[in-house]
Amino acid sequence: MLVYAWCNYSYRPIKAKGLTWVSLIYLSAVLWYIGNIGANGHMWVTGAWTKCKIWVIWLRVLFCFVFATLNIARFYALDRVFNQKKPFTRRCSLVAGVVIIVFNVVYCLVNQLISDRLTVAFVASLEVCNVTQGFRIAALAIQWVMWAGCAVLIFRLRNIQSSFNEFRESVIIFAVIIALLTESTVTYIHFKYYTLQKVHRIEKTLMDTVASNLIVWLIIGYPVAMSIFRRQAYERQWIERLANDNNKTAYEITSNHAGTTYAKMRENSETAFNQSNLNFEGNETINSDYAENVQFIDPGSLRTNSTLQGEAHNEDNLPMALRTNLHIRRPMLNSPNMFSNAYPGLPPGGRRVL
C-alpha cells in the first residue's frame, strides 16, 4: 500500500498525509519486527544471535521507541499547524528528527553501558536472551508516559475543522496503542520467561506486527482506497471541503476558465504556512484537473454566472434588476452610507456596490 501511495504521490489527498513521515514510521515497524525475531526467541540463540543487546536494545527497543516518537511527532505537527497557527517547516521536521534520534539513541546507549546482569544477558544453559524485570518495567513506564502525553495532543486534534482532520483515525490509533501496551505489560510482567513458551512468544510478536501495520493503514488507507475506487470524485470533494472549511481565508483559491487553483497559505494569514507545510512542497501551486465546474462563492455576496466567469459588460443602461455587474452585500448596521444611493464610479473590479 505504501508503494502504491508513492506511485500516486501527485494525488492530493494522499500527498497531504505526509508520506515521508509515514514511510519512516513503516520502516521503524519493519526493524522493530526484525528485533522481535531475535529477542523473542524465534531463532536458535547461537552464533550472532547470542549478541542479545543488539537484538533487544538496538533493534526491538530502539525502533519500538522510534515508532512511537514518530507517531507522536506527526500528531504534534498537525496540532502546531492547525491549532497553534504556527508553520511546520522543513527546519521543524529536521529538529523533530534530531530530537527523536538523540532521545532514543541516548536511552539505548545508557542501557548498553549498564552491566548485562541489570539489563539483557545471554543465558547459555537455557540458550535464551534474558531480560531483567527492571529493564522491562523501565521501558514500559517510558512508553506509558509518552502515550499519556500524546493523549493530550490527540484530544486537541478534535478542533481541526478541515480536510486535514484526522481525529477519528488518531483516536483509533491511540486505542490500538493502549491495547498493545496493556498486552505487553501483562506479558512482560506476568510471564517472565515467555520466550521459552511457544504460544506466548508467537502471540507477542504477532501483536506487535499487526498493531504497527494497522497504524500505517489507518493513516493512509482511506485516501489510498478512494484513489482506487472514487479517484476523481473524491479529489473534487476533498478540494471543495478544503475551500469551504474554517481555514479557507488562509488559502489562495481562484476559479476561472482554466480550472480551480489551490495554492499554499499566504504568509500574512493567521494560519499561514511559511514557505512549506505538512502537505505540500515549498512554493508549489497545485492545479485541479477535475474541478473546472467548482465555484468558490463568497457567502457574503450574490454573484451571477457571468460575473463568476470574469465577464466584463457595460450594462449601466439596463434596469438595475437586470444588471449582472452588481456586487450585492449584506447591509451593515450603523454604516454612514447604509441607505446611500450614490455610485461615485466603478471600482477597480468593474462592479458597483449596493
Side-chain angles (χ1 to χ4, degrees), residues 239-251:
I239 293 174
E240 289 174 354
R241 183 182 175 190
L242 190 69
N244 294 319
D245 63 28
N246 291 340
N247 295 318
K248 73 175 185 177
T249 58
Y251 294 93

Side-chain angles (χ1 to χ4, degrees), residues 72 74-88 150-162 164-167 170 246-247 250-251 265 269-273 278-279:
I72 294 172
R74 189 174 179 276
F75 291 141
Y76 172 75
L78 289 169
D79 177 72
R80 178 180 174 87
V81 171
F82 294 101
N83 288 331
Q84 301 180 36
K85 313 302 182 185
K86 297 178 181 179
F88 193 81
C150 182
V152 178
L153 286 176
I154 293 175
F155 182 72
R156 285 172 55 85
L157 295 185
R158 80 194 190 283
N159 296 321
I160 299 176
Q161 302 295 328
S162 72
F164 301 102
N165 185 289
E166 295 187 12
F167 180 63
S170 302
N246 291 340
N247 295 318
Y251 294 93
M265 287 182 169
S269 171
E270 181 184 1
T271 56
F273 295 146
L278 275 175
N279 314 293

